[in-house]
Amino acid sequence: MPGKLIIPAATRRRILKTGTALGGLALAPLGFVRGAWAEEGPLGTFPVKGDTVKFGFCVPQTGAYADEGADELRAYQLAVKHLNEGGGVLETLKPSKLTGQGVLGKKVDYVTGDTQTNPDAARTAAQRMIERDGVIMFSGGSSSAVAIAQQYLAQEKSVVFMCALTHSNDTTGKDRRRYGFRHFFNAYMSGVALGPILAEDYGKDRRAYHLTADYTWGHTQYDSMKQATEKQGWTTVNNIMTPLGSTDYSQFLTAVLNSDADVLVLNHYGKDMVNSLTQASQFGMRDIDKNGKKMQIVVPLYSELMAKGAGDNIEGVLGTANFNEKLDDAGSQAFIKTFTDEYGFPPSQAAHTAYVQTLLYANACETAGTFYPPEVIKALEGFECEGIGPGKALYRAEDHQNFHDILVVKGKAPSERKDQYDLLEIVKHVPRAEIEYPADTFPGELGPYKPA
Amino acid sequence: MGRSPFAADLIAVGLFAAVVLTMPVWIVWIGGYEALATKIVIWAVFALGFDILLGFTGYLSFGHAAFFGTAAYTTGLCLKHLSADILPAFFITGGVSLVVAFVIGLLTLRRSGIYFSILTLAFAEMLHAAALSILQAYTGGDNGLTMHTKPELLGIRMEGLNVFYLAAIVAILGFFAARQIKRSPFGLMLRAIKENAMRLEYTGVNVWAYKMAAYMISAMYASLAGFLMVVLEPYVATKFLHWSTSGEVVIMSVIGGVNTLIGPMIGAAFMLYFENVIQAFIGEQWRLVLGLVFVLIVIFLPGGFVDGFNRIRRAVGLGGRERHHNVPDAPAPVRENRGDRAARQPGE
């Protein structure tokens, strides 16, 4: 049904475009704008009035993921600065239509909100941005539950949502939405990347015990890690769901100690992971032998901020990451350098994805020649670029998941660290081809470009 | 005052209606927006119903989220699986809420004071835990209940101002009904429960039945609010069942002024305005500031905003009402006996 509705519109537009292009070279740019306006009626917060365009940045300022939120916000502010004044990744992104003088001739402005790491509060904050501030796009994270709730809101309101920190398979799987895009990798990719390395380092006959944050991200990461490790011959002993934002994990850790498991997998993130890993160390799990092997802890999703919070406990702990401040490709370096110059310390992966998402959205607007959401979405779908990180990154049209190289990382011992930010070492650079999967692995539907 | 009580009611409700119905206009002047106005009105309904229980009977329920959340989930499931029209959802939600309120009331109203509060809290937390565990398949767990439905009422799309006016009408009717209850013999009984339930029992009144009635009325207001919340946004968050939702409505009542009906609604407006508009100015530390505001109000203005308003009126010589701690309109001799300050100041 939607297909039938869309094709004639696209055709009409193409005819219109062709017509305008034939109209004359000198008038062509003007013609494009006019042509666009003629067809594109008001939708969501479109059209943008005045000479500034507003983005909404919705990050957790309170709750379990507040540290990630603060870093995201720094990255968003930097992205806006670069969009208006040039610099940073604008110089490495290819193909790029970004001018460094705003977007489509309008200066970029932004508003912020607090998601409180809570889907309801996040929706309220986003709604404020859409209704009162008229943002043309909103972006943010973390917590996949928050991202998914906002994605539905985005679809409802016809305002594009650029997901930042969300790692659940559901975000671009069962809950994928036409108005939502995710640059960050997901739990499935973590499993595929991490599985072989775990088997290599710890052996193929390990018994794993999972502690999992009880919401969409935790659930899908547990599934993906279970699948990936069992493929390597591991046994899954048990899994306990722990409430998001728990501070005391002793009851769960006692259960782990009393079992015959010799690997503990912590499907936790943010402050949850800092707490559970620290407490696991206090329980002596880093120094005991189980089944004649040294007990190991795995944190499938790792971040610099968590490593900082968990301190010396991260030594030798393996995990995956979307980005690391030691990457040496031109795009990563451009970002790392400008971020460090601005704030005095290197960015986290949360900051990287937030920054990149803002730029990719802005670039899509320039490419489409309009802020009209369906056209911007079409410009993002299937968009492949380089210069935002290692290798080429592709926005898959079928599920709005971005595919790019990811990293397997390991916590550094205190003695190996050069400075207080030197916490993780890159164990393996996992190329995009290894972590790609068919779009129908997780069934879901994007929904229409335009509300019926 | 020479006016009949009913006329006074009409004036009060008329004023209230005027303020509420124009809210989408004036809220924009103070940095708000349409959806915030709708949310304020919905929470006002919730707080209003809460005041019927807390203000009249003195029973502090710390588990009103149970009704708000259950109604929201029921409405959400109806809209998602049954029909996009909100009428079937309305009736089913009403039925379910009545049953839930009756059952919880049956089990909690045998106790009073802190025991009642804890029991209600326990039931609400049980429902919250159930929504996150055994009912996860239906409620969507921590993700909340997501859907693609666009709610409508008899073919009219329920969005934007349509939802606002629906909520506003509910709030105005709810306010009118609450004032009628307050003035009725039934309302007097409820206030007598607050004064001395045991004495009332000895006079042969079935106190339990009155408490139950008040509890269920209050629960229905909460359910209506939960229902409207989902009509406004076809999404149900687990937070609707969380104890913090129960806590929020208690705080709204306290900072607005318990037992004034209008007070808790003002409290609701203040809280939401703070959380959504002022928050953006303060940034990360907004919760700290909000906490400070509560502390200041409870210390210096225990009767809430309404008490503050009356104090100002008295100060400028307009004769605002004194705060009554107990039976609100006890006759003068009673107050004299109790030694109320109001009765001791005849010159005022």
Side-chain angles (χ1 to χ4, degrees):
Chain A
M1 257 310 267
K4 271 188 189 165
L5 286 171
I6 290 153
I7 292 160
T11 323
R12 200 162 58 235
R13 183 171 167 75
R14 207 165 297 139
I15 293 165
L16 215 113
K17 267 188 175 174
T18 326
T20 349
L22 287 170
L25 272 173
L27 287 171
L30 199 67
F32 264 96
V33 177
R34 282 214 181 131
W37 276 88
E39 195 195 354
E40 295 155 359
L43 180 66
T45 46
F46 179 85
V48 178
K49 294 184 194 82
D51 53 7
T52 58
V53 58
K54 263 189 200 161
F55 294 169
F57 301 133
C58 229
V59 300
Q61 297 178 334
T62 48
Y65 299 153
D67 292 345
E68 275 75 9
D71 216 36
E72 280 174 354
L73 199 54
R74 284 189 277 268
Y76 283 130
Q77 285 159 346
L78 189 66
V80 167
K81 189 180 160 193
H82 289 168
L83 285 175
N84 285 331
E85 298 165 17
V89 173
L90 258 62
E91 285 158 16
T92 57
L93 177 68
K94 269 184 287 187
S96 163
K97 295 213 163 155
L98 292 171
T99 56
Q101 289 165 342
V103 180
L104 292 174
K106 290 178 195 282
K107 197 174 158 294
V108 182
D109 197 3
Y110 66 92
V111 290
T112 64
D114 184 2
T115 70
Q116 303 175 37
T117 323
N118 166 338
D120 178 51
R123 280 179 65 110
T124 309
Q127 207 160 31
R128 183 195 74 208
M129 295 173 172
I130 294 168
E131 286 210 9
R132 189 187 69 179
D133 306 316
V135 298
I136 192 71
M137 172 279 275
F138 65 116
S139 175
S142 48
S143 167
S144 293
V146 167
I148 289 169
Q150 288 190 315
Q151 242 177 212
Y152 275 86
L153 182 76
Q155 188 86 24
E156 238 171 77
K157 302 277 178 194
S158 303
V159 178
V160 173
F161 176 62
M162 302 297 283
C163 306
L165 201 58
T166 158
H167 187 246
S168 168
N169 296 338
D170 290 345
T171 312
T172 48
K174 117 180 139 47
D175 292 305
R176 67 180 76 150
R177 305 309 297 140
R178 181 69 67 190
Y179 277 76
F181 287 87
R182 170 165 68 179
H183 165 263
F184 208 63
F185 70 139
N186 64 22
Y188 182 88
M189 301 187 204
S190 286
V192 173
L194 200 51
I197 294 191
L198 289 177
E200 207 173 286
D201 279 24
Y202 301 150
K204 289 195 175 259
D205 54 347
R206 285 285 189 158
R207 302 179 62 81
Y209 203 114
H210 292 249
L211 295 185
T212 300
D214 191 5
Y215 72 105
T216 170
W217 167 67
H219 299 174
T220 62
Q221 179 163 301
Y222 165 64
D223 290 341
S224 294
M225 283 308 294
K226 182 170 186 270
Q227 197 188 335
T229 50
E230 284 179 358
K231 201 174 152 196
Q232 303 290 336
W234 287 26
T235 315
T236 307
V237 177
N238 198 2
N239 172 45
I240 302 179
M241 295 290 182
T242 64
L244 175 62
S246 298
T247 47
D248 183 7
Y249 290 87
S250 45
Q251 43 174 331
F252 313 120
L253 294 167
T254 311
V256 177
L257 275 183
N258 290 338
S259 72
D260 63 347
D262 47 35
V263 176
L264 170 62
V265 182
L266 293 173
N267 298 309
H268 290 147
Y269 196 76
K271 289 197 175 79
D272 282 13
M273 177 270 182
V274 170
N275 287 329
S276 61
L277 181 61
T278 308
Q279 287 167 27
S281 299
Q282 285 162 357
F283 269 66
M285 288 194 191
R286 307 300 318 277
D287 316 303
I288 54 166
D289 287 344
K290 278 274 196 86
N291 309 332
K293 294 184 268 280
K294 190 174 183 317
M295 181 145 190
Q296 299 293 351
I297 298 180
V298 178
V299 180
L301 179 58
Y302 230 145
S303 89
E304 299 76 3
L305 296 166
M306 283 151 52
K308 200 166 129 197
D312 296 347
N313 301 315
I314 57 156
E315 182 183 343
V317 174
L318 280 169
T320 58
N322 197 43
F323 171 83
N324 185 284
E325 81 277 1
K326 279 183 223 54
L327 285 170
D328 53 8
D329 61 281
S332 303
Q333 277 301 321
F335 173 58
I336 295 160
K337 195 180 168 301
T338 45
F339 189 97
T340 313
D341 286 350
E342 187 86 15
Y343 301 110
F345 47 84
S348 67
Q349 60 177 351
H352 176 251
T353 200
Y355 178 86
V356 163
Q357 283 283 69
T358 314
L359 257 49
L360 288 181
Y361 173 81
N363 186 47
C365 293
E366 291 280 6
T367 310
T370 170
F371 288 109
Y372 187 60
E375 293 303 323
V376 177
I377 292 170
K378 282 173 199 160
L380 274 169
E381 286 175 341
F383 178 70
E384 190 168 38
C385 66
E386 54 188 330
I388 54 171
K392 283 190 170 186
L394 167 74
Y395 250 128
R396 185 156 70 185
E398 290 82 8
D399 59 0
H400 292 189
Q401 171 67 49
N402 196 293
F403 288 90
H404 49 260
D405 300 359
I406 64 166
L407 310 165
V408 174
V409 291
K410 193 183 207 170
K412 276 192 173 180
S415 56
E416 299 166 12
R417 296 176 194 165
K418 284 200 284 294
D419 56 56
Q420 56 167 323
Y421 305 110
D422 184 24
L423 300 166
L424 302 173
E425 62 171 309
I426 300 173
V427 176
K428 191 187 169 195
H429 202 109
V430 187
R432 175 175 134 192
E434 274 182 38
I435 49 167
E436 270 174 332
Y437 58 86
D440 56 3
T441 309
F442 306 103
E445 258 199 73
L446 284 170
Y449 287 92
K450 261 198 252 185
Chain B
M1 287 198 222
R3 269 185 251 126
S4 79
F6 187 72
D9 271 4
L10 281 185
I11 292 169
V13 174
L15 277 175
F16 176 72
V19 172
V20 168
L21 290 173
T22 54
M23 193 189 277
V25 180
W26 57 260
I27 199 154
V28 177
W29 300 338
I30 55 171
Y33 52 98
E34 226 170 68
L36 180 64
T38 319
K39 271 205 168 165
I40 287 178
V41 174
I42 292 172
W43 273 88
V45 172
F46 190 9
L48 179 65
F50 192 74
D51 207 30
I52 292 179
L53 187 67
L54 177 64
F56 291 7
T57 69
Y59 273 66
L60 172 62
S61 161
F62 214 84
H64 253 46
F67 309 119
F68 186 73
T70 310
Y73 274 115
T74 316
T75 309
L77 289 170
C78 287
L79 290 178
K80 187 174 182 177
H81 299 296
L82 195 67
S83 145
D85 198 301
I86 61 172
L87 276 182
F90 176 78
F91 290 112
I92 294 173
T93 304
V96 170
S97 302
L98 272 179
V99 173
V100 173
F102 184 76
V103 172
I104 299 185
L106 208 60
L107 296 166
T108 57
L109 282 170
R110 300 178 176 280
R111 297 281 170 269
S112 59
I114 185 86
Y115 304 102
F116 171 77
S117 302
I118 295 296
L119 272 177
T120 49
L121 172 65
F123 275 102
E125 279 296 271
M126 272 160 58
L127 285 175
H128 181 247
L132 280 179
S133 54
I134 50 172
L135 298 177
Q136 202 167 56
Y138 308 98
T139 61
D142 241 324
N143 297 354
L145 183 63
T146 45
M147 63 192 98
H148 312 297
T149 320
K150 293 196 186 295
E152 50 186 50
L153 173 63
L154 304 172
I156 307 166
R157 180 73 68 76
M158 290 315 276
E159 57 184 4
L161 278 182
N162 289 349
V163 189
F164 174 80
Y165 285 114
L166 178 72
I169 290 165
V170 170
I172 292 163
L173 291 178
F175 184 53
F176 182 72
R179 283 194 67 113
Q180 294 305 307
I181 292 171
K182 191 173 186 178
R183 224 162 28 78
S184 68
F186 172 72
L188 193 64
M189 280 297 185
L190 298 185
R191 279 173 284 156
I193 293 174
K194 186 180 187 177
E195 184 77 339
N196 194 332
M198 201 180 280
R199 189 184 284 176
L200 199 63
E201 189 94 54
Y202 288 155
T203 58
V205 174
N206 186 350
V207 170
W208 184 84
Y210 278 101
K211 281 196 294 194
M212 189 65 172
Y215 188 72
M216 287 183 70
I217 291 170
S218 176
M220 291 319 285
Y221 273 83
S223 310
L224 260 175
F227 163 78
L228 288 170
M229 204 69 178
V230 181
V231 174
L232 169 67
E233 273 192 72
Y235 170 77
V236 187
T238 44
K239 188 183 172 267
F240 291 177
L241 274 176
H242 195 238
W243 66 265
S244 58
T245 302
S246 307
E248 241 166 84
V249 79
V250 175
I251 292 169
M252 286 171 183
S253 303
V254 171
I255 62 171
V258 176
N259 194 15
T260 57
L261 293 183
I262 195 80
M265 296 198 276
I266 297 173
F270 171 78
M271 280 275 284
L272 286 168
Y273 181 73
F274 196 97
E275 199 176 322
N276 291 291
V277 181
I278 302 182
Q279 181 247 98
F281 295 111
I282 302 175
E284 275 168 59
Q285 301 305 329
W286 68 273
R287 275 177 186 278
L288 197 71
V289 178
L290 190 60
L292 211 63
V293 172
F294 292 153
V295 171
L296 290 178
I297 286 175
V298 172
I299 293 177
F300 296 108
L301 213 60
F305 291 139
V306 172
D307 184 32
F309 174 70
N310 284 333
R311 280 186 195 200
I312 293 168
R313 280 189 58 166
R314 278 199 304 279
V316 298
L318 280 167
R321 217 181 291 163
E322 273 276 357
R323 191 164 78 92
H324 307 293
H325 291 271
N326 248 325
V327 181
D329 9 86
V334 176
R335 276 185 276 160
E336 220 146 71
N337 271 340
R338 287 207 317 245
D340 269 16
R341 267 195 298 158
R344 274 187 275 116
Q345 292 170 346
E348 193 182 273

